[in-house]
Amino acid sequence: MTSAENPVTFNRDVVIIGAGPSGLTAAHELKKAGLSVAVLEARDRVGGRTWSNTIDGAWLEIGGQWVSPDQTALIGLLDELGLDTYSRYRDGDSVYIAPDGTRTRYTGEMFPVAADTESEMNKLIDTLDALAALMDPAAPWAHPQARELDIISFHHWLRTQSGNEEACNNIGLFIAGGMLTKPAHAFSALQAVFMAASAGSFSNLVDDNFILDKRVVGGMQGVSLAIAKELGADVILNSAARTVRWEENDGGYLATVTSDGATVTAKRVIMAVPPNLYSRVSFDPPLPRRQHQMHQHQSLGLVIKVHAVYETPFWRKDGLSGTGFSASSLVQEVYDNTNHQDPRGTLVGFVSDEKADYAFTLSPEQRKKEITASLAEFLGDAAAEPVVYYESDWGSEEWTRGAYASSYDLGGLHRYGPDQLTPVGPIHWSCSDLAAEGYQHVDGAVRMGQFTATALIKDLVKDLA
């Protein structure tokens, strides 16, 4: 990796904008095929939305971190890079806090709710599983009910299926606060079904033991760090891309990307950043009307990932797993996030969408007080007194501006989705936000990097002969 203080000039087969898991996976595959690459990264680090750092003496995974059993592309890359995984701690009881504030310990996947609420939750899960089974995650717009599901919000769709408000809010939590980090009224039922289909089923999203199965020893950012080490000087940090110019050239393309640290001429360009950042780059010629419109209908959600570190994982002595859920609490999800072979205990909690809006109206001191009080509602008074406390706020991060990934507004997925991967001249699009399987996860970023690299290798390797 280099950090160019003075602009440098490169001539490469492919230039990649963004050194997150998708861009670096693409670079990794292209290099293996004999193609030359340059990766331009605006930040002073690689990893994109995966990032680990030491805060007040505690090592924390500030960004994406989990691996689930269906994420075979990521698992394969971890194996190739020699990165090990370990299981999330989950022995003991989970905690559910009901809308009236009642706290209940329980085991199993189903929340401890009244019989009629449980019945309605199971009915909604079955309905969503059936809808997801009809969907090809590579083409959610081809679902037999695509338009019907895309023009109604998930919030309102749930209430067409059930009159039980607690059941609707609990099921909504798994997609809204838990995944898209937007209020359930802000995205469509089709977007929710797609989120389920991308993970294999809605049942998989409900099962935290599946979707939040393992972590990477040394952190998920290790994927990007390992690939960047292999690429060496081909990765240029502190080098935000500013312009992409291209023209047709002898039956192919010639593109020039100008960044803060480099100018790269190449045959192809990969935009490996989330769609909300495309507008940070000037394109010449301008992108087509369809692209401009599409990008304005995609946005990231908002979530505060809360890290609370304690001298010991005290909840385990009380027979608790550290897992808790509540659609009505400030912290809607909490998990044991203790690091591999770490004697200290770490909790991670999530404050999403409108609850995050509220939290950011508070002073930092009051926000910490209310968030740790919410953790204590799940796990006891000791949770209110962490020795290290940190909030991951990707919404204020200049080169991300939200979390976890982008989704379409009402009606946007079936309207624009078929065109989201269409290349523009030499420009290809590659990020977890555009993935089919593994959508908005690191696995999706890896899949998109591999997919994009495969397409470019098919086009370009013949030119090396």
Side-chain angles (χ1 to χ4, degrees):
M1 289 179 285
T2 62
S3 182
E5 296 180 2
N6 298 310
V8 292
T9 301
F10 295 93
N11 184 7
R12 295 288 191 268
D13 292 311
V14 181
V15 56
I16 300 164
I17 298 172
S22 191
L24 289 171
T25 297
H28 180 61
E29 297 298 323
L30 292 166
K31 287 277 282 190
K32 286 195 295 185
L35 294 168
S36 59
V37 302
V39 184
L40 305 176
E41 171 55 52
R43 300 177 180 88
D44 61 359
R45 61 170 182 83
V46 299
R49 284 168 274 182
T50 62
W51 182 28
S52 305
N53 202 2
T54 300
I55 308 294
D56 297 333
W59 183 86
L60 305 174
E61 284 205 75
I62 295 168
Q65 61 174 68
W66 279 298
V67 184
S68 61
D70 64 320
Q71 295 177 349
T72 53
L74 172 59
I75 292 168
L77 183 57
L78 292 172
D79 290 342
E80 180 183 345
L81 298 174
L83 297 174
D84 296 326
T85 60
Y86 63 103
S87 295
R88 176 175 65 87
Y89 184 86
R90 46 201 160 193
D91 295 339
D93 295 341
S94 300
V95 174
Y96 174 74
I97 298 177
D100 64 1
T102 302
R103 175 184 182 271
T104 306
R105 297 169 63 135
Y106 71 101
T107 58
E109 295 176 25
M110 177 53 65
F111 295 164
V113 292
D116 61 330
T117 300
E118 179 176 346
S119 176
E120 289 297 294
M121 287 180 65
N122 282 325
K123 184 182 77 171
L124 289 168
I125 292 169
D126 290 344
T127 301
L128 286 161
D129 276 345
L131 289 169
L134 295 174
M135 178 179 283
D136 175 359
W141 44 87
H143 191 280
Q145 296 173 250
R147 179 175 173 80
E148 174 187 341
L149 293 170
D150 207 26
I151 61 175
I152 184 172
S153 75
F154 189 45
H155 171 96
H156 289 96
W157 179 86
L158 285 168
R159 285 150 183 84
T160 68
Q161 305 296 311
S162 174
N164 187 303
E165 192 68 10
E166 185 177 4
C168 289
N169 285 329
N170 284 343
I171 295 302
L173 169 65
F174 291 109
I175 296 285
M179 289 293 169
L180 300 181
T181 63
K182 293 179 177 179
H185 62 256
F187 58 88
S188 73
L190 183 68
Q191 189 80 53
V193 173
F194 168 55
M195 185 75 247
S198 74
S201 69
F202 192 83
S203 291
N204 284 345
L205 296 183
V206 172
D207 183 0
D208 63 278
N209 289 329
F210 180 89
I211 203 70
L212 309 179
D213 182 27
K214 295 182 183 296
R215 296 173 62 193
V216 178
V217 176
M220 187 67 81
Q221 190 187 8
V223 171
S224 297
L225 291 169
I227 296 175
K229 183 177 180 180
E230 291 179 1
L231 295 173
D234 289 330
V235 179
I236 304 144
L237 303 178
N238 297 303
S239 193
R242 301 301 182 183
T243 61
V244 175
R245 296 184 174 89
W246 64 273
E247 60 186 15
E248 295 186 19
N249 181 54
D250 293 331
Y253 300 104
L254 178 65
T256 301
V257 178
T258 304
S259 72
D260 291 346
T263 298
V264 185
T265 58
K267 300 172 185 175
R268 297 290 189 276
V269 179
I270 298 176
M271 288 290 292
V273 297
N276 66 306
L277 297 183
Y278 296 163
S279 62
R280 301 296 303 275
V281 178
S282 295
F283 295 89
D284 182 16
L287 295 177
R289 177 191 309 107
R290 187 71 171 171
Q291 291 283 334
H292 283 156
Q293 286 291 303
M294 182 193 330
H295 303 159
Q296 292 178 65
H297 289 267
Q298 294 168 288
S299 62
L300 274 73
L302 178 64
V303 63
I304 308 171
K305 182 180 182 181
V306 177
H307 312 261
V309 183
Y310 307 87
E311 293 295 348
T312 64
F314 62 86
W315 51 91
R316 298 181 186 178
K317 291 184 178 180
D318 191 28
L320 294 173
S321 64
T323 300
F325 298 99
S326 176
S328 56
S329 296
L330 181 60
V331 176
Q332 295 175 293
E333 303 172 80
V334 60
Y335 304 98
D336 185 320
N337 210 41
T338 302
N339 297 321
H340 182 59
Q341 297 182 340
D342 189 348
R344 292 199 286 186
T346 301
L347 294 173
V348 62
F350 296 92
V351 182
S352 295
D353 55 76
E354 291 176 311
K355 296 180 187 297
D357 291 341
Y358 163 74
F360 282 127
T361 67
L362 306 174
S363 69
E365 294 78 13
Q366 184 64 22
R367 186 164 63 246
K368 176 183 177 181
K369 181 180 179 180
E370 294 194 22
I371 288 175
T372 54
S374 186
L375 293 175
E377 290 176 359
F378 288 102
L379 299 169
D381 292 344
E385 301 293 337
V387 295
V388 176
Y389 175 87
Y390 182 75
E391 298 168 0
S392 298
D393 173 21
W394 288 92
S396 64
E397 209 277 339
E398 176 68 8
W399 297 107
T400 304
R401 302 187 173 191
Y404 306 110
S406 70
S407 54
Y408 285 96
D409 58 14
L410 281 178
L413 180 55
H414 88 283
R415 182 181 177 189
Y416 296 108
D419 298 307
Q420 65 184 11
L421 293 180
T422 303
V424 176
I427 305 166
H428 292 247
W429 319 95
S430 185
C431 57
S432 64
D433 314 71
L434 306 179
E437 292 87 355
Y439 162 65
Q440 84 164 16
H441 289 87
V442 177
D443 179 72
V446 171
R447 289 177 188 273
M448 283 304 306
Q450 294 171 341
F451 171 84
T452 308
T454 297
L456 297 191
I457 291 166
K458 182 178 178 180
D459 284 346
L460 297 176
V461 166
K462 61 179 180 288
D463 296 339
L464 299 179

